[in-house]
């Protein structure tokens, strides 16, 4: 296919900030994105990820900092002058225009010659596999097909950067999985950089080359999916990345490990950073807290939900500690189970005073 992203080396966010009155929606966000990278902005609602995307798109002005595309400062440019592609959560298709005209709208606004416009629209239709749907109206398409039209419209202008704001949130589970693969395929095919906003950690892990975890308008950690999954840098990042068990405890050194108290018994965990004895948070994924004969933690099952291959459970241990765990065997409410976790999968963080 001839459609390809315009060449650039680096997009750079330099202490990007945005305030709304007394609210600091973005606080000194700094990040470099290379051509061809897929970056996910991940975090809970209100963390600033969509605000960051809208500042990049030019839909919001910065309160401080700057945005650079190679040696060109672009935060002072109008949205249309930046030349970025944008895929919105609600698709934002023109209902009275055919698929072909929707895709070609940006090229029409740029005043491209008709033969060039037709050729590029045909190429975009082929990339998103909608060549046989080109004369239909958006209302005649499925949700997944409408999303493909929105993506084609974003890439047909050959942008250096494609911005996506929770583009799969309106699709059902099956379509979300299919469209994840399509988005990654298209990203690799055209060679642009993609910045993708999501609150879904699984989506971020499956799509991104690097993940930027945000909270309260600040970047908390940047890393590969593997780094974020296995070694979150902070307890709040761990919680968002699926370490649902967050147990406050005293911690004491035990060689290279730390002794912590979980459910009234002593467990060993791995410190994420060098730390002294004192108040700590032990973080454990439900997948890593396993039902195990002779496990040191005794818990009474309070709920057990069947998820196909196993049961997702919650239980109550000594001292009233609520724990989340998985079981490959059927267990039911009221059962007493023994739980264990490998020290390498119990991450220990210094407790930050609230």
């Amino acid at each position: 296919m001839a459609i390809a992203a315009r060449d650039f080396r680096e997009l750079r966010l330099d202490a990007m900030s945005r305030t709304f009155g007394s609210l600091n929606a973005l606080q000194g966000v700094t990040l470099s994105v290379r051509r061809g990278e897929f970056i996910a902005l991940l975090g809970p609602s209100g963390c600033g990820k969509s605000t960051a995307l809208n500042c990049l798109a030019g839909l919001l002005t910065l309160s401080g900092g700057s945005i650079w595309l190679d040696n060109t400062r672009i935060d002072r440019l109008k949205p249309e002058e930046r030349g970025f592609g944008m895929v919105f959560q609600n698709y934002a298709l023109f209902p009275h225009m055919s698929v072909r005209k929707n895709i070609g709208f940006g090229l029409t606004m740029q005043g491209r010659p008709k033969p060039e416009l037709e050729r590029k629209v045909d190429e975009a239709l082929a990339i998103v596999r909608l060549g046989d749907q080109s004369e239909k109206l958006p209302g005649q398409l499925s949700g997944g097909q409408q999303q493909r039209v929105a993506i084609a419209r974003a890439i047909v202008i050959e942008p250096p950067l494609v911005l996506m704001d929770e583009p799969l949130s309106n699709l059902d589970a099956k379509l979300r999985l299919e469209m994840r693969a399509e988005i990654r395929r298209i990203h690799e095919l055209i060679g642009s950089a993609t910045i993708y906003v999501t609150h879904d950690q699984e989506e971020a892990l499956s799509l991104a080359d690097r993940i930027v975890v945000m909270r309260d308008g600040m970047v908390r950690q940047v890393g590969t999916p593997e780094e974020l999954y296995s070694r979150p840098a902070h307890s709040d990042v761990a919680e968002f990345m699926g370490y649902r068990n967050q147990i406050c405890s005293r911690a004491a050194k035990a060689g290279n490990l730390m002794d912590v108290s979980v459910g009234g018994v002593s467990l060993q965990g791995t410190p994420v950073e060098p730390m002294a004895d004192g108040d700590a948070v032990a973080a454990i994924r439900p997948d890593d807290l396993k039902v195990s004969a002779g496990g040191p933690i005794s818990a009474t099952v309070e709920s057990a939900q069947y998820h196909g291959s196993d049961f997702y459970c919650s239980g109550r241990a000594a001292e009233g500690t609520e724990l989340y765990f998985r079981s490959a065997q059927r267990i039911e409410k009221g059962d007493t189970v023994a739980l264990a976790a490998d020290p390498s999968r119990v991450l220990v963080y210094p407790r930050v005073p609230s």
Side-chain angles (χ1 to χ4, degrees), residues 23-341:
L23 173 65
N24 293 318
L26 290 177
Q27 303 183 55
V29 173
T30 295
L31 180 70
S32 292
V33 180
R34 299 180 298 275
R35 186 182 192 273
E37 268 199 300
F38 197 117
I39 302 293
L41 302 184
L42 176 67
S45 297
C47 73
K49 56 189 187 294
S50 290
T51 300
L53 203 75
N54 286 328
C55 287
L56 268 171
L59 303 177
L60 289 173
T61 57
L62 298 186
S63 303
S66 55
I67 306 172
W68 298 79
L69 194 64
D70 291 333
N71 296 321
T72 302
R73 184 171 179 177
I74 64 170
D75 56 278
R76 295 167 177 167
L77 300 180
K78 296 177 182 178
E80 62 273 19
E81 294 172 335
R82 303 184 189 194
F84 296 161
M86 185 90 180
V87 181
F88 297 95
Q89 184 175 343
N90 62 357
Y91 317 143
L93 302 177
F94 298 109
H96 61 289
M97 288 186 183
S98 68
V99 166
R100 174 173 291 276
K101 289 183 177 177
N102 263 284
I103 293 172
F105 181 77
L107 297 174
T108 301
M109 291 297 99
Q110 292 176 355
R112 300 287 185 95
K114 186 174 181 181
E116 179 189 356
L117 185 151
E118 292 294 330
R119 175 176 59 81
K120 288 192 176 297
V121 169
D122 285 340
E123 291 168 359
L125 282 165
I127 288 172
V128 299
R129 302 170 179 171
L130 285 177
D132 58 346
Q133 309 290 325
S134 63
E135 301 308 321
K136 289 185 177 180
L137 296 175
Q140 297 173 296
L141 304 179
S142 68
Q145 289 172 326
Q146 290 181 44
Q147 188 58 277
R148 290 170 191 255
V149 176
I151 293 170
R153 184 180 59 188
I155 66 174
V156 76
I157 61 173
E158 299 182 304
L161 186 69
V162 176
L163 308 174
M164 296 191 173
D165 191 4
E166 306 240 22
L168 306 185
S169 59
N170 292 329
L171 303 181
D172 63 36
K174 180 176 180 292
L175 270 178
R176 282 201 303 273
L177 287 174
E178 291 176 0
M179 285 306 302
R180 274 189 215 165
E182 280 298 284
I183 286 171
R184 184 70 208 198
R185 178 186 68 83
I186 293 166
H187 163 83
E188 292 174 351
L189 188 63
I190 68 173
S192 67
T194 299
I195 298 183
Y196 185 102
V197 163
T198 182
H199 65 274
D200 186 327
Q201 55 139 315
E202 186 178 331
E203 211 168 86
L205 289 168
S206 65
L207 280 170
D209 298 311
R210 286 191 297 153
I211 298 172
V212 180
V213 180
M214 299 184 65
R215 179 175 178 176
D216 298 332
M218 295 181 288
V219 173
R220 294 294 285 157
Q221 187 174 355
V222 181
T224 65
E226 293 83 358
E227 289 167 345
L228 268 295
Y229 185 88
S230 62
R231 192 54 66 95
H234 309 281
S235 61
D236 59 304
V237 176
E239 184 174 18
F240 197 76
M241 293 304 297
Y243 288 77
R244 194 173 181 188
N245 295 299
Q246 298 258 326
I247 301 105
C248 294
S249 170
R250 291 288 295 177
K253 286 184 179 180
N256 294 326
L257 301 175
M258 302 292 288
D259 285 328
V260 292
S261 176
V262 177
V265 301
S266 180
L267 283 187
Q268 289 195 319
T270 302
V272 174
E273 60 185 73
M275 56 184 290
D277 296 358
D279 291 340
V281 175
I284 314 171
R285 287 182 178 278
D287 302 50
D288 296 323
L289 190 58
K290 302 181 183 299
V291 176
S292 174
I297 304 170
S298 177
T300 301
V301 177
E302 293 188 336
S303 72
Q305 301 171 4
Y306 183 55
H307 281 207
S309 60
D310 56 9
F311 291 83
Y312 190 93
C313 312
S314 67
R316 193 75 58 175
E319 303 177 348
T321 305
E322 186 174 27
L323 296 173
Y324 300 91
F325 58 96
R326 289 188 185 272
S327 172
Q329 305 299 319
R330 172 178 288 278
I331 56 177
E332 297 181 354
K333 182 178 180 179
D335 289 349
T336 298
V337 294
L339 304 173

